[in-house]
Amino acid sequence: QKEVEQNSGPLSVPEGAIASLNCTYSDRGSQSFFWYRQYSGKSPELIMSIYSNGDKEDGRFTAQLNKASQYVSLLIRDSQPSDSATYLCAVLDSGGYNKLIFGAGTRLAVHP
Amino acid sequence: NAGVTQTPKFQVLKTGQSMTLQCAQDMNHNSMYWYRQDPGMGLRLIYYSASEGTTDKGEVPNGYNVSRLNKREFSLRLESAAPSQTSVYFCASTNTGELFFGEGSRLTVL
């Protein structure tokens, strides 16, 4: 059973701080990794994808990937109350068919 | 451009009743998926359709059936609903692995 592990949180950070969200995965053959944001009562929306080792930056968001350690992280700089949501880590199943395996999500709370 | 559209958005069933959740996408995606989301358990794959004409079981297929009606539409059927199927159901589609989700269907089975 391929698994994606995340700390459920809540992760509480003050406004303006850096939020660090982490994820580990078991499928060593995975090549594609995604972060989704999900507001309460809403559907997940894609915020970052990463395919190569290292960092990928997009605005206030930075995704980090270390395939050797099977570790993915998401950094949110200058956190805002509007960033308060559940963040889902997803890994593309190496078995094909574009199947994503999701972690249970980390709840982030940014307080003013 | 509507993206992924799911109906109904809310449904209450009694144990043993049947129903079908409908999903349609207008992004010309080949692959479509049905997930369920329960508190603390993330998204679990029920069934998927890698391309028109094919369907396969995911992680939690028991109690469900699916139909890939054409490239746009992928329906999920509960033949005899059980309280354990109370959940939020999401349909999604993709060509690349980057999933686009519908708004979800909240199902309660009494």
Side-chain angles (χ1 to χ4, degrees):
Chain A
Q1 180 85 354
K2 297 172 182 176
E3 294 181 335
V4 177
E5 301 285 343
Q6 294 181 256
N7 188 321
S8 62
L11 174 65
S12 182
V13 300
E15 185 174 356
I18 296 174
S20 177
L21 305 163
N22 304 313
C23 169
T24 59
Y25 60 94
S26 64
D27 185 355
R28 193 168 279 281
S30 295
Q31 299 295 321
S32 303
F33 307 86
F34 308 91
W35 283 99
Y36 285 81
R37 179 176 61 200
Q38 186 176 25
Y39 292 113
S40 181
K42 301 296 186 182
S43 59
E45 57 176 328
L46 180 69
I47 54 172
M48 290 287 288
S49 58
I50 186 166
Y51 307 99
S52 304
N53 280 330
D55 295 359
K56 179 182 178 183
E57 186 174 319
D58 184 0
R60 295 186 297 111
F61 298 97
T62 299
Q64 299 175 316
L65 174 61
N66 184 325
K67 291 182 181 178
S69 300
Q70 295 175 246
Y71 179 88
V72 192
S73 66
L74 179 70
L75 300 178
I76 306 175
R77 290 181 300 281
D78 188 24
S79 296
Q80 301 297 309
S82 59
D83 295 325
S84 298
T86 296
Y87 289 81
L88 303 170
C89 174
V91 173
L92 191 64
D93 188 333
S94 62
Y97 305 114
N98 283 335
K99 289 190 295 180
L100 287 189
I101 305 167
F102 284 85
T106 298
R107 189 157 59 89
L108 173 65
V110 181
H111 54 85
Chain B
N1 189 346
V4 180
T5 303
Q6 291 181 232
T7 56
K9 289 185 169 48
F10 300 94
Q11 185 72 48
V12 178
L13 292 177
K14 294 181 179 178
T15 297
Q17 287 185 318
S18 62
M19 76 158 300
T20 299
L21 299 176
Q22 307 285 356
C23 175
Q25 52 90 11
D26 61 4
M27 296 175 283
N28 201 34
H29 286 164
N30 290 313
S31 303
M32 298 185 72
Y33 308 80
W34 277 105
Y35 286 88
R36 62 178 287 175
Q37 187 173 39
D38 302 294
M41 300 196 70
L43 288 157
R44 293 183 292 168
L45 183 63
I46 305 171
Y47 269 93
Y48 65 98
S49 171
S51 61
E52 185 179 358
T54 70
T55 60
D56 285 287
K57 295 177 181 179
E59 183 185 353
V60 287
N62 292 344
Y64 305 95
N65 285 300
V66 290
S67 296
R68 183 74 183 267
L69 304 170
N70 48 54
K71 189 171 186 178
R72 292 186 62 247
E73 298 173 287
F74 188 38
S75 63
L76 178 72
R77 182 161 178 84
L78 287 70
E79 292 290 352
S80 179
S84 61
Q85 295 177 304
T86 293
S87 189
V88 180
Y89 292 84
F90 288 102
C91 178
S93 68
T94 187
N95 276 341
T96 63
E98 296 183 1
L99 290 181
F100 292 84
F101 286 87
E103 293 185 343
S105 299
R106 186 175 295 276
L107 175 66
T108 301
V109 183
L110 302 175

